[in-house]
Amino acid sequence: MTSAYSADDASRPHDDDAAQARATLRGVLAEVGRCFVGSGEIPELILTCLLARGHVLLEGVPGVAKTTLIKAFASAIGGAFKRIQFTPDLLPSDITGTYVMSPREGGFHLRMGPIFAHVVLGDEINRAPAKTQSALLEAMQEQQVTIDGETHRLPEPFFVLATQNPIELEGTYPLPEAQIDRFLMRIVVGYPSTDDELKILRTYATSAPEARAVLSPADVLTLQRRAAEVFVDDEIYAYAVALSNFTRTHPRVALGASPRASLGLVLAARARALIDGRNFVSPDDVKKLARPVLAHRLVLTAESEAEGVTREQVVDEALSRVPYRRVDARSDASHGHGSVALAGRERP
């Protein structure tokens, strides 16, 4: 395995480091693209979420290569991959593991569950009851699990990608809002285009390609630290808060985006900037990520749902009505920065 970006490269200058990170991350996307045929935006969003230390909720009908995509990512980052098939009779211990008696050793030892991996696929997560979903909730939020009263840390990096079928809802348990809010992004995987589907047939008609390791888990941790160092100006923070505030006061929204959503939007924007080889976040980073980061956290009013209003439409309205204001340096020259006006007025 050869990585253009090593975990030992922490001392490089920022500009060179950003360019090096971009080349490596593009290599990861290219390797995933050998196995996953479809929109290039989906793998990029997943990579963005990984760098931002978030988790992904994938929605799509069966047979659109969600599992193929996730396995390719796990291979490309050199991480251990585990798959959990959620069913109504799945127990929390089936996810976390349990202590079992060892006659040879004369005591109990921990048999680790599938949650102990770098990349975990939770397939059809809404088919498990709330008690089982809560076991995954602790792992996602705290990066640890509790087994028989003992806390165990999970491997780093730790990345959960959960899937659910938005069509077949019989016998399912809707995810509670607290758990949905802990997914940094919700990504919809739709049907491929005609050209992509033809490419799928040609690619998989003989033997399925397998992704090669481009990074190691240590490289991923280094890239995550680099993403956290990307510069964010005060005006970007104000813009993210203003977008969330818009959803909270919208008449069609019963529950708007939380402060966790605002933070997630900024963290994701940092990761996207690094993928593009930049050391700073631009307004376009925030705008392009607003839908996958904010929409799934909104709860619409009953009247809005009856009228066919979607959460994505509310986010699009926020993007169109909440303007991004550049700092006016003249307003606060003594401190080297100005104020941000985001009240919807035209810029003077």
Side-chain angles (χ1 to χ4, degrees):
M1 175 182 63
T2 59
S3 169
Y5 192 94
S6 169
D8 298 327
D9 291 344
S11 61
R12 292 184 178 179
H14 272 304
D15 289 342
D16 293 343
D17 188 76
Q20 187 73 57
R22 181 184 186 277
T24 300
L25 293 170
R26 290 298 169 184
V28 172
L29 293 174
E31 189 62 29
V32 172
R34 290 180 53 251
C35 304
F36 174 76
V37 180
S39 170
E41 181 183 7
I42 295 174
E44 187 167 325
L45 286 174
I46 292 177
L47 182 59
T48 300
C49 198
L50 171 64
L51 295 177
R53 301 176 187 266
H55 306 284
V56 176
L57 179 62
L58 287 170
E59 282 193 4
V61 297
V64 291
K66 298 187 295 295
T67 301
T68 298
L69 172 61
I70 296 170
K71 290 178 67 176
F73 253 101
S75 298
I77 68 172
F81 170 78
K82 293 292 178 64
R83 179 176 182 268
I84 305 171
Q85 180 63 54
F86 281 78
T87 57
D89 60 349
L90 190 72
L91 299 175
S93 59
D94 295 328
I95 297 175
T96 61
T98 187
Y99 283 95
V100 297
M101 179 67 181
S102 174
R104 180 179 300 177
E105 300 175 3
F108 290 88
H109 72 277
L110 175 63
R111 179 178 293 172
M112 293 183 176
I115 198 69
F116 287 89
H118 296 110
V119 179
V120 177
L121 165 60
D123 209 1
E124 296 187 292
I125 185 175
N126 56 336
R127 292 202 175 278
K131 183 177 181 180
T132 303
Q133 292 175 359
S134 66
L136 187 64
L137 180 65
E138 180 191 6
M140 290 169 55
Q141 183 67 20
E142 307 294 339
Q143 202 166 330
Q144 65 183 29
V145 294
T146 302
I147 305 173
D148 288 346
E150 293 187 8
T151 300
H152 301 268
R153 295 292 299 173
L154 296 172
E156 292 186 307
F158 178 68
F159 190 33
V160 172
L161 299 102
T163 71
Q164 62 178 3
N165 183 347
I167 304 300
E168 188 180 356
L169 300 178
E170 185 177 353
T172 61
Y173 301 83
L175 294 176
E177 300 305 324
Q179 186 156 338
I180 290 178
D181 196 44
R182 283 170 170 78
F183 285 100
L184 177 58
M185 294 186 192
R186 170 182 167 267
I187 303 173
V188 177
V189 184
Y191 287 114
S193 65
T194 300
D195 290 341
D196 284 340
E197 191 164 355
L198 288 171
K199 187 177 179 181
I200 291 172
L201 300 184
R202 297 188 186 102
T203 302
Y204 285 87
T206 53
S207 61
E210 294 184 3
R212 299 179 294 262
V214 177
L215 300 174
S216 69
D219 295 333
V220 174
L221 292 176
T222 301
L223 286 163
Q224 287 178 338
R225 288 192 291 269
R226 287 301 186 201
E229 294 171 356
V230 171
F231 176 74
V232 182
D233 208 336
D234 284 345
E235 60 199 44
I236 297 292
Y237 287 125
Y239 186 42
V241 170
L243 290 173
S244 293
N245 274 329
F246 182 89
T247 67
R248 298 168 194 162
T249 57
H250 198 286
R252 292 188 176 276
V253 177
L255 182 64
S258 67
R260 183 188 285 124
S262 304
L263 177 60
L265 187 55
V266 171
L267 295 178
R270 276 177 161 160
R272 182 180 178 87
L274 186 66
I275 293 174
D276 286 344
R278 287 181 282 107
N279 293 314
F280 62 92
V281 172
S282 74
D284 285 342
D285 295 323
V286 176
K287 293 175 182 178
K288 291 177 180 178
L289 293 167
R291 263 192 170 211
V293 173
L294 298 181
H296 66 286
R297 306 169 192 264
L298 307 183
V299 177
L300 302 180
T301 62
E303 294 81 1
S304 299
E305 291 183 346
E307 294 173 9
V309 177
T310 66
R311 295 169 292 185
E312 287 76 12
Q313 288 175 338
V314 174
V315 176
D316 289 343
E317 186 179 348
L319 291 172
S320 65
R321 295 184 59 183
V322 177
Y324 170 76
R325 304 294 192 189
R326 290 197 60 82
V327 171
D328 184 359
R330 295 171 299 177
S331 66
D332 196 2
S334 62
H335 290 86
H337 59 82
S339 60
V340 180
L342 288 162
R345 299 187 298 271
E346 291 299 321
R347 184 179 180 181

